[in-house]
Amino acid sequence: MSNPNSYEGADPPALDALQRGVLAKVVMKLLDLWMLGCEDQAALLGIAPGNRDVLDRHRQGEPIGASSEQFERALLLLEIHDRLQILLASNGKLAGRGMTSGNRAFDNRTPLEVIKAQGTEGLSMVRSYLERARGAS
C-alpha cells in the first residue's frame, strides 16, 4: 500500500531555506537520538562517508534537502522514526535501538545495514516493513 504522505519519486514540496533548515535540525537530532556515529549518519543522508563538516552544518540549521533524493531520505528517516515510536511505544530505549538491532525480516541484518547497502531503496524497504508490522500489531 502506498503512503499518501510519501514523496517517493515526486518532486519535493516547495520548502524555503528556513523550513529546510528546521528539517535539517530535526533529522540531525533524530540521528543523534539513534546514537549513530558520523559515518552512519552520513550514509543515511547520502553524504560522503565521514563528512563531519556537512553534518555539523546541518546540525546548526544549514538547509537539507536541496536535491529531491536528500529530501526523500530526510522524510523517510522521519517516517521510520515515527513507526518505531508507534511499534515500540512502551519501551523508548528499544525504539532508539531499532535501527541497530538485527531483524529476521532483513536476514538478521540491522535496518542500518540494509539502508547503507541499498540507499534510498533500503530506507523505503525499512519504512514499508515497519508499516506492515504496525498493521499486524
Side-chain angles (χ1 to χ4, degrees):
M1 171 163 61
S2 178
N3 180 348
N5 296 322
S6 176
Y7 296 99
E8 276 181 71
D11 290 332
L15 296 180
D16 63 30
L18 179 63
Q19 291 168 317
R20 289 186 297 110
V22 170
L23 176 63
K25 286 181 174 183
V26 169
V27 169
M28 296 311 299
K29 284 184 185 211
L30 169 61
L31 297 177
D32 290 340
L33 176 71
W34 286 346
M35 295 186 285
L36 300 177
C38 180
E39 190 170 307
D40 289 336
Q41 290 180 11
L44 291 180
L45 291 172
I47 297 170
N51 196 336
R52 192 175 298 262
D53 290 340
V54 171
L55 295 174
D56 288 342
R57 289 194 312 260
H58 285 324
R59 226 173 239 102
Q60 298 302 316
E62 179 177 288
I64 196 170
S67 73
S68 59
E69 180 185 350
Q70 192 177 44
F71 185 81
E72 181 178 358
R73 283 174 175 263
L75 289 183
L76 286 166
L77 287 167
L78 294 175
E79 289 176 359
I80 288 168
H81 177 68
D82 178 61
R83 280 144 185 87
L84 284 170
Q85 292 298 307
I86 291 168
L87 286 169
L88 305 171
S90 63
N91 189 336
K93 288 184 181 182
L94 187 58
R97 292 194 329 246
M99 293 298 286
T100 56
S101 299
N103 189 311
R104 288 180 295 193
F106 304 122
D107 297 324
N108 290 322
R109 293 180 298 158
T110 69
L112 177 62
E113 291 169 330
V114 171
I115 294 164
K116 287 173 72 173
Q118 298 188 23
T120 305
E121 183 178 325
L123 281 162
S124 293
M125 288 173 54
V126 170
R127 193 236 10 238
S128 294
Y129 164 74
L130 292 170
E131 187 67 30
R132 287 190 309 275
R134 186 178 83 168
S137 59

